[in-house]
Amino acid sequence: MVTPLLTDLYQFTMAYAYWKAGKHLDRAVLEPSSSPLNSSLLTVYLRYCAVKLIMKIVCFDLYFRKSPFSGEFTIFGGLEECIRFIANFKITEDDIKFLRSVMPTCEDGFFEYLSSIDCSDVEVYAIPEGYVVFPKVPLMRIEGPVAVVQLLETPFLSLVNYASLVTTNAARHRFIAGKSKNLLEFGLRRAQGPDGGISASRYSYMGGFDATSNVAAGRLFGIPIRGTHSHAFSLDEIIDKELTSSDGSNKCEDFVFLVQSWLSRIKDSSSLCGTFGETSHSELAAFTSYALAFPNSFLALVDTYDVMRSGVPNFCAVALALNDMGYKAVGIRLDSGDLAYQSVETRKFFRAIEKEFGIVGFGKMSITASNDLNEETIDALNKQGHEVDAFGIGTYLVTCYAQAALGCVFKLVEINKQPRIKLSEDVTKVSIPCKKKCYRLYGKEGYPLVDIMTGEDEPSPKVGERLLCRHPFNESKRAYVVPQQVEELLKCYWPGNSGD
Amino acid sequence: MVTPLLTDLYQFTMAYAYWKAGKHLDRAVLEPSSSPLNSSLLTVYLRYCAVKLIMKIVCFDLYFRKSPFSGEFTIFGGLEECIRFIANFKITEDDIKFLRSVMPTCEDGFFEYLSSIDCSDVEVYAIPEGYVVFPKVPLMRIEGPVAVVQLLETPFLSLVNYASLVTTNAARHRFIAGKSKNLLEFGLRRAQGPDGGISASRYSYMGGFDATSNVAAGRLFGIPIRGTHSHAFSLDEIIDKELTSSDGSNKCEDFVFLVQSWLSRIKDSSSLCGTFGETSHSELAAFTSYALAFPNSFLALVDTYDVMRSGVPNFCAVALALNDMGYKAVGIRLDSGDLAYQSVETRKFFRAIEKEFGIVGFGKMSITASNDLNEETIDALNKQGHEVDAFGIGTYLVTCYAQAALGCVFKLVEINKQPRIKLSEDVTKVSIPCKKKCYRLYGKEGYPLVDIMTGEDEPSPKVGERLLCRHPFNESKRAYVVPQQVEELLKCYWPGNSGD
């Protein structure tokens, strides 16, 4: 679980500096409570007022400056985890004990204050998770007492940065692969440790993947789980050769023999003959024993020896034997070599089997490809022409190899209703001050046209009314838009006390 | 915590295929137990033998093929977490329930088997964590029943890959920065979620960093924690202006006034004059209130306005006022702009202050630099000449931006004492078969010369005896070595039952 200590130390040192500067105000307000009117309720009330007073109300925007992967869009991820974090925000006595050791010179009152805070004075507005988002437009707006909001900066950035990055990466892979392909996330072993792998699976699914190999992520988030077997799978001797048919009506005493006879028929077929040579017995044994274990979901990794000379004919022999018993094999996986060529040749072979033996649908058997795939390699496969139905993607997806970080920032835009700006010689780093409202304007066909930001008190755009939209940093970029629909982007996800 | 479900589905499907193929053998061995000799103890013993029999004993090597970052070395990280994982390896009833839903066609006996397994039959040999390691030489050798060892593949890769990658990255940053610099890890907000950030902090420390900003990681692993304040820190009105001196002997009623008078003295000094212009009042107020909160550890971020015109003189005024009260300021942080130039100019100013006001040691005040630093930018700073004492490194360190994944693999090298090899048209992907012993040979000065692998039963290298070492894939690379010291690299970290 993400605890409030999962933050940068400076957030605590800043909270202390704010606290320290404000505590006399606290005392000043509390002094009247020593009057005859003193009551514990009044003390509580006054303390509440004091905290309100000393803790300036600030407004921070969380946004990024540039879409990743040299792209034009980003998908926002991580919001649910942020809200869960603030809902559970509590600095425990153990946490306090540790913080005292790290900040030994800080006064006791500060630690008492820390142990008292929660996020009930904080308000969070955000664009819905999974939305397409653009640079500079705040993904989240966080308002509340400065010392508390400060403690949210690092956890929020940590929860949003990678989540949005990998969701975007997944969406880009979906875009290049096309809607009809199956996309499988295989990245657990290359992620930033086991928990990085869990995040990767979660947000790849959000970005448009169909399934993961990660069993724990499947369990946590209900993501479909997929797998084949590995190159290391090997079982030479098959002792239990029996297979009951799919409908339970008959039993094959020697499934191994059935597979072997199918292999002979394939080899003897004049129309198939010549396309392969000596098949591997060891591979056939591995396929057969795997099929005996999973007759309903037989998917074979066919490149351990030689895809076209051994793997594919061996797979077909097993698939045909399964077919005799009423089972439908799933297909093959290619994990090395020229995936475009191999998939095309395999498809041809599947179709030839369908024709030769009259097995309807055999030609459409699924072909999965893996082996360091990414946007570029899938694009190259598309250009070459391929017959792959599913892509298994690991390293390049989960590490976001092409750009390993999204630079989300958390910038102060208002203190006590006064606007704040961060200036920089680098114009892309200048922040846009003031609490904002953000809108997505839609055109006639229901497609979004533009996202705009306005000041909090400015009138909102109206349907059918012409509006001049200006680029915040580029004077020459401006356009008139007549929205057919107006969506307010920042919705309230955490109302704080104001929602009571 | 890392659970056994944090793995790829195919590990479980393979385990099932092995189990399914072996269960009749299991039954055959257990039949004698229905003899008059039957006793629960005998049943247990026979079941044990059966499990031994059906579960082939395999040996896997975990290694990588190429050092990352186009470099010549890697630092091994993640071992402790692997051993902790197998020590706690237990598939719970809840896990089983979920696995049944994922693998609905598998037989009950398999799930009973799964719930019974632990890692007591597994042995793990490994190179010590933190060692410099090289391609192809196994970092870990894992022996045991195939179905169990298979379940370790993904968790081990997940625990070792990123750990070793980021440790190596940290070590490379240490190498380029030099021994005398302080290296601070600031990457939490750019890691793969909060737990990716924890791993990043842990292994950056192992790779030679001095501290982290991540409070939770500091707590978990005892890593020193560091922080400054942020650009957003702002406190215009200071109500409590009092500061007690370091030794408690006197009290300054108006520390703000003391700071202001030092700023005037700096401005009036003919030797310092002219190097800066109008300083920011707001920055000075922020520095002063931060110093009041942390008089013992005042470290100011000086680039909010203008480093040389405002930030550095403001810092010096506060540091000089603190000095009056017996406190020693820590220094400044630069987070933008030309870090080499700014650090050199700041150092000059510090030295001028030391000279002008006779404050011994002021010239040596610490200068920390941050802002998207990495190996290349530090190298560039070194070439330009700089006065930076400490580097704060985030994104490029924790995401391993230059190469976001280390391709560790887990390859079968032996089944039931029979060697296994993975062949590939790509020679770099061919595995080296057989259970191995690995040695590091040291020369006269105690420096390591070469790592070698031998077959398990080959004689070990001996001190003073000439030995021909051959490159495994490059015939022409060979060398005679006379070791002065021989270290066996693979040490037993998990003896399994054999250690009972």
Side-chain angles (χ1 to χ4, degrees), chain B residues 8-237:
Chain B
D8 293 308
L9 178 64
Y10 81 79
Q11 314 289 12
F12 280 108
T13 60
M14 283 165 65
Y16 180 66
Y18 286 122
W19 177 86
K20 173 96 177 151
K23 96 189 144 95
H24 281 69
L25 212 64
D26 182 16
R27 197 183 300 154
V29 173
L30 280 181
E31 265 156 20
S33 72
S34 54
S35 78
L37 272 172
N38 188 2
S39 80
S40 63
L41 212 73
L42 183 66
T43 311
V44 168
Y45 175 72
L46 286 170
R47 181 165 290 276
Y48 176 76
C49 295
V51 168
K52 280 279 192 194
L53 264 175
I54 63 162
M55 294 302 148
K56 300 188 177 193
I57 299 302
V58 292
C59 180
F60 278 80
D61 282 352
L62 189 155
Y63 62 95
F64 60 93
R65 296 182 181 123
K66 201 170 179 307
S67 281
F69 314 117
S70 313
E72 295 295 331
F73 72 92
T74 300
I75 312 282
F76 176 35
L79 176 60
E80 191 205 323
E81 289 192 86
C82 289
I83 300 302
R84 197 182 296 274
F85 174 74
I86 54 176
N88 295 313
F89 190 96
K90 171 77 192 143
I91 302 178
T92 66
E93 283 309 306
D94 270 0
D95 294 342
I96 297 284
K97 207 172 147 192
F98 179 71
L99 286 171
R100 280 181 189 270
S101 73
V102 176
M103 303 163 77
T105 60
C106 297
E107 295 172 35
D108 284 348
F110 172 63
F111 297 107
E112 282 161 28
Y113 165 69
L114 279 187
S115 67
S116 77
I117 57 176
D118 58 29
C119 288
S120 58
D121 288 332
V122 173
E123 290 172 47
V124 177
Y125 295 80
I127 297 180
E129 189 157 8
Y131 263 43
V132 172
V133 289
F134 301 97
K136 300 274 186 191
V137 180
L139 308 178
M140 299 173 75
R141 184 178 82 211
I142 299 98
E143 300 168 53
V146 63
V148 182
V149 174
Q150 200 65 67
L151 294 178
L152 305 178
E153 176 179 5
T154 310
F156 275 23
L157 287 174
S158 175
L159 291 168
V160 169
N161 259 324
Y162 176 67
S164 299
L165 184 69
V166 75
T167 306
T168 307
N169 202 18
R172 293 175 63 92
H173 281 82
R174 164 57 69 199
F175 187 77
I176 198 81
K179 284 183 188 172
S180 66
K181 302 299 173 193
N182 259 293
L183 292 182
L184 317 170
E185 178 270 312
F186 286 171
L188 176 56
R189 63 188 61 190
R190 300 283 183 260
Q192 288 185 6
D195 295 299
I198 294 273
S199 297
S201 303
R202 174 179 188 161
Y203 293 105
S204 295
Y205 189 55
M206 197 167 90
F209 270 56
D210 296 291
T212 179
S213 64
N214 182 334
V215 179
R219 180 192 199 175
L220 280 167
F221 310 118
I223 305 170
I225 307 172
R226 292 280 179 283
T228 55
H229 55 73
S230 84
H231 290 113
F233 182 75
S234 119
L235 260 175
D236 294 346
E237 40 169 2

Side-chain angles (χ1 to χ4, degrees), chain A residues 349-422:
Chain A
F349 198 84
F350 285 168
R351 289 196 183 122
I353 292 269
E354 171 162 352
K355 202 173 157 195
E356 176 78 0
F357 302 113
I359 315 289
V360 177
F362 202 100
K364 291 189 176 139
M365 198 76 75
S366 163
I367 300 173
T368 300
S370 54
N371 190 25
D372 281 349
L373 293 177
N374 58 29
E375 270 190 82
E376 279 174 34
T377 50
I378 294 173
D379 189 41
L381 287 174
N382 288 345
K383 282 173 183 153
Q384 287 168 72
H386 66 84
E387 287 287 342
V388 175
D389 304 297
F391 294 103
I393 309 177
T395 309
Y396 288 93
L397 175 65
V398 307
T399 64
C400 299
Y401 212 94
Q403 181 182 327
L406 174 66
C408 276
V409 294
F410 191 83
K411 293 290 173 198
L412 182 68
V413 295
E414 213 178 84
I415 300 183
N416 289 343
K417 307 252 170 212
Q418 296 302 307
R420 282 292 182 278
I421 187 169
K422 187 206 174 232

